[in-house]
């Protein structure tokens, strides 16, 4: 699978009222990440809560869903 | 193109009706619209239906003839339109365009949805089908989540606050409490709205419209024939539909709905009016943030001022520009396929002076804004006293 690299949170939310398929996941953080190449993608943020403008790093695909985590280095590379 | 008029309106109450099926709701609204327009089913030359997800909510397909024959309309074309929450707005746009073009004279347009027979997670999943299933929805997006992300970005770019969002809910509940057909006829306080159960941050249950059953219908015809049927024809002065990307992450700026701006611009031009001329509006407040963005995109207030304007009372019944005097989707209810035509019924009711304790003093030029999904379809209808 492709490594999506790093990006910046464009917008985000934490979901409490899930669709049927994700009733066991709540609460979960969903975000639109602006990848460093400029493309935006919707995915999940695992671990520490991220806010608009935060730097995130691609972690893995789970069932074709991209998961990101907040980057330790918050400076734009 | 011929001028088109609305001559009859009919609505069921919106609410949770475990004993009513989809067809009986739509038939009731259709028959009321015919009765209100002093017409018979045998005079109807075409039937247009808006319905988002009848096949998913109740398993029934082939809805348009199923309903039209229930109303007593026989033999003529009967067609269903699906454009998410703008399904019946879109049906109305196509019906009005067909009458304007001279294809038919007398046309019935209805919208219906029967949602409450499913659990909330199942309804959430069915509604999410109006988003991009291969991207955002697979990642876990629900409609509240999509609008929560829109709200977050609007707050970030324009300083919109939780109080400003909540003020939309408080105002719409004040109006809906006075609407006998509304789903949730209760006043809520700012404190309640702010302390609501979280659905998708920053939206609480009070920022979200209701899951409802209901139907609405209108009878339309060329303006030149309207006097045969009614003393109070309401003219369709301008109407336009526009589209945009379905996926939120494919839109350049999610704090504005391009399709709303495009369709509003076209409808204003067709009507020969400016945003400032519109006296009142029914807008698509599926979520509180959607009403704030709607009044910006419609040009009622400058970009970013929707929140402060709402909190200051500009959109209240006695405000400068009343918005959602019906109670909006928030309090009146949101049976998604019925919403677009329902809004048109509400605007017509104000123009005719039949809105009871919600009646406005300035009520001759109104607008309805019906939004599909997170902005991929928009229908704007401008209505005026003849």
């Amino acid at each position: 699978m492709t490594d999506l690299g790093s990006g910046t949170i464009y917008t985000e939310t934490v979901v409490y009222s899930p669709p049927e398929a994700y009733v066991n996941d709540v609460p979960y953080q969903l975000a639109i990440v602006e990848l460093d190449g400029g493309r935006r993608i919707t995915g999940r943020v695992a671990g520490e809560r991220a806010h608009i403008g935060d730097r995130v790093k691609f972690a893995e695909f789970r069932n074709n869903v991209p998961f990101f985590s907040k980057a330790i280095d918050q400076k734009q590379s | 193109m011929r001028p088109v008029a609305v001559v009859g309106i009919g609505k069921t109450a919106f609410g949770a009706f475990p004993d009513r099926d989809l067809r009986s709701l739509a038939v009731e609204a259709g028959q009321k619209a015919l009765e209100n327009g002093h017409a018979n089913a045998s005079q109807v030359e075409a039937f247009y239906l808006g319905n988002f997800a009848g096949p998913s909510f109740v398993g029934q397909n082939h809805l348009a003839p199923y309903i039209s024959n229930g109303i007593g309309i026989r033999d003529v074309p009967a067609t269903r339109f699906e454009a998410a929450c703008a399904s019946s707005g879109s049906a109305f746009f196509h019906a009005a365009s067909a009458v304007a073009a001279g294809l038919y004279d007398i046309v019935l347009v209805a919208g219906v949805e029967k949602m409450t027979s499913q659990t909330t997670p199942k309804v959430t999943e069915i509604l999410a089908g109006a988003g991009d299933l291969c991207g955002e929805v697979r990642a876990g997006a629900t409609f509240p989540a999509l609008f929560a992300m829109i709200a977050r970005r609007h707050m970030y770019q324009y300083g919109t606050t939780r109080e400003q969002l909540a003020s939309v809910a408080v105002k719409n509940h004040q109006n809906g409490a006075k609407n006998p057909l509304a789903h949730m006829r209760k006043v809520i306080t700012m404190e309640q709205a702010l302390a609501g159960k979280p659905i998708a941050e920053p939206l609480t249950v009070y920022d979200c419209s209701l899951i409802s059953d209901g139907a609405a219908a209108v009878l339309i015809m060329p303006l030149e024939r309207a006097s045969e049927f009614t003393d109070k024809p309401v003219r369709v002065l301008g109407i336009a539909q526009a589209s945009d990307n379905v996926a939120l992450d494919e839109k350049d700026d999610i704090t504005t709905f391009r399709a709303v701006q495009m369709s509003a611009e076209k409808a204003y031009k067709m009507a020969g009016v400016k945003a400032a001329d519109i006296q009142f509006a029914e807008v698509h407040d599926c979520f509180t943030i959607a009403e704030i963005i709607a009044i910006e995109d419609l040009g009622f207030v400058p970009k970013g001022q929707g929140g402060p304007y709402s909190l200051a009372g500009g959109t209240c019944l006695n405000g400068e520009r009343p918005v959602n005097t019906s109670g909006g989707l928030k309090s009146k209810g949101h049976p998604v396929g019925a919403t677009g035509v329902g809004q048109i019924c509400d605007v017509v009711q104000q123009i005719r002076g039949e809105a009871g304790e919600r009646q406005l003093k300035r009520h001759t030029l109104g607008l309805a804004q019906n939004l599909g999904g997170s902005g991929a379809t928009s229908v704007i209808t401008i209505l005026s006293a003849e």
Side-chain angles (χ1 to χ4, degrees):
Chain A
M1 279 283 198
T2 332
D3 181 352
L4 296 176
S6 297
T8 306
I9 300 281
Y10 172 71
T11 189
E12 53 78 31
T13 182
V14 175
V15 177
Y16 293 88
S17 182
E20 204 164 60
Y22 295 125
V23 283
N24 297 321
D25 289 13
V26 288
Y28 56 87
Q29 185 169 24
L30 186 77
I32 296 179
V33 175
E34 190 159 296
L35 301 172
D36 289 347
R39 182 167 76 100
R40 287 185 197 152
I41 192 164
T42 306
R44 298 271 192 98
V45 179
E48 191 187 344
R49 173 82 186 266
H51 297 91
I52 293 178
D54 283 350
R55 297 286 296 158
V56 290
K57 201 172 164 0
F58 172 74
E60 59 176 337
F61 280 102
R62 292 184 212 161
N63 297 322
N64 289 316
V65 176
F67 276 71
F68 294 86
S69 56
K70 196 168 164 179
I72 297 158
D73 179 5
Q74 282 295 308
K75 288 195 193 106
Q76 178 116 22
S77 52
Chain B
M1 300 288 262
R2 306 185 293 178
V4 175
V6 178
V7 303
I9 57 174
K11 278 173 87 169
T12 66
F14 288 0
F17 307 121
D19 301 332
R20 297 289 303 273
D21 62 34
L22 178 149
R23 190 192 202 195
S24 82
L25 290 165
V27 167
E28 178 189 329
Q31 288 176 338
K32 280 182 170 167
L34 287 173
E35 193 181 323
N36 187 258
H38 306 100
N40 299 315
S42 62
Q43 293 172 291
V44 174
E45 295 164 46
F47 178 69
Y48 286 67
L49 177 72
N51 171 261
F52 167 51
S56 304
F57 283 124
V58 300
Q60 179 68 51
N61 272 292
H62 216 171
L63 284 167
Y66 182 60
I67 289 163
S68 62
N69 280 272
I71 297 169
I73 299 166
R74 302 198 63 82
D75 305 329
V76 303
T79 312
R80 171 184 166 213
F81 287 72
E82 189 274 301
C85 306
S87 293
S88 62
S90 181
F92 183 84
F93 167 77
H94 287 91
S97 302
V99 172
L103 198 56
Y104 312 113
D105 274 3
I106 301 173
V107 171
L108 189 70
V109 191
V112 64
E113 209 74 59
K114 169 74 189 170
M115 304 170 74
T116 66
S117 42
Q118 301 285 352
T119 63
T120 299
K122 186 67 186 170
V123 171
T124 303
E125 187 164 295
I126 292 169
L127 292 173
D132 178 7
L133 288 184
C134 295
E136 57 196 12
V137 175
R138 183 158 59 196
T142 60
F143 267 87
L146 293 171
F147 278 86
M149 292 197 290
I150 290 168
R152 273 271 191 257
R153 191 69 201 179
H154 201 277
M155 292 165 119
Y156 178 81
Q157 287 184 210
Y158 301 108
T160 303
T161 66
R162 280 283 313 129
E163 287 74 15
Q164 291 166 358
L165 295 176
S167 73
V168 172
V170 172
K171 181 265 297 176
N172 286 348
H173 273 281
Q174 271 168 0
N175 294 348
K178 297 174 182 155
N179 180 354
L181 297 180
H183 185 164
M184 197 176 278
R185 297 187 65 191
K186 74 171 191 190
V187 172
I188 59 164
T189 64
M190 176 63 91
E191 290 68 34
Q192 275 177 302
L194 289 172
K197 188 176 78 146
I199 299 295
E201 289 180 17
L203 305 182
T204 78
V205 68
Y206 287 110
D207 290 291
C208 305
S209 56
L210 307 172
I211 293 168
S212 315
D213 305 330
V218 291
L219 183 71
I220 63 171
M221 62 183 62
L223 183 62
E224 63 193 18
R225 288 199 60 188
S227 62
E228 296 170 35
F229 295 84
T230 180
D231 298 334
K232 289 181 182 174
V234 169
R235 185 169 172 182
V236 181
L237 207 57
I239 184 160
Q241 177 173 335
S243 54
D244 193 4
N245 294 321
V246 165
L248 196 62
D249 56 19
E250 289 176 4
K251 293 181 174 75
D252 289 338
D253 179 0
I254 65 169
T255 64
T256 188
F257 294 119
R258 180 178 161 80
V260 175
Q261 292 178 323
M262 300 299 289
S263 52
E265 196 179 307
K266 276 189 185 171
Y268 288 144
K269 193 174 171 195
M270 183 176 171
V273 302
K274 295 187 173 60
D277 300 325
I278 301 295
Q279 296 167 344
F280 68 98
E282 288 291 317
V283 310
H284 198 96
D285 60 320
C286 48
F287 300 92
T288 50
I289 184 64
E291 178 167 323
I292 285 172
I293 292 176
I295 62 175
E296 297 173 353
D297 286 343
L298 292 169
F300 296 172
V301 296
K303 192 70 211 163
Q305 291 303 303
Y309 189 77
S310 298
L311 185 61
T315 55
C316 290
L317 268 188
N318 58 0
E320 179 183 57
R321 178 109 51 152
V323 170
N324 284 332
T325 67
S326 67
L329 285 51
K330 178 70 202 82
S331 166
K332 174 182 61 181
H334 184 27
V336 292
T339 284
V341 166
Q343 291 175 316
I344 289 165
C345 291
D346 294 329
V347 173
V348 167
Q349 197 182 38
Q350 279 287 356
I351 289 174
R352 287 175 170 180
E354 297 171 351
E357 40 175 338
R358 296 172 291 116
Q359 183 59 49
L360 301 170
K361 289 195 183 75
R362 294 174 71 238
H363 60 95
T364 53
L365 184 63
L367 178 149
Q369 176 242 359
N370 189 200
L371 188 76
S374 60
T377 297
S378 169
V379 183
I380 304 290
T381 309
I382 299 171
L383 298 154
S384 71
E386 206 263 306

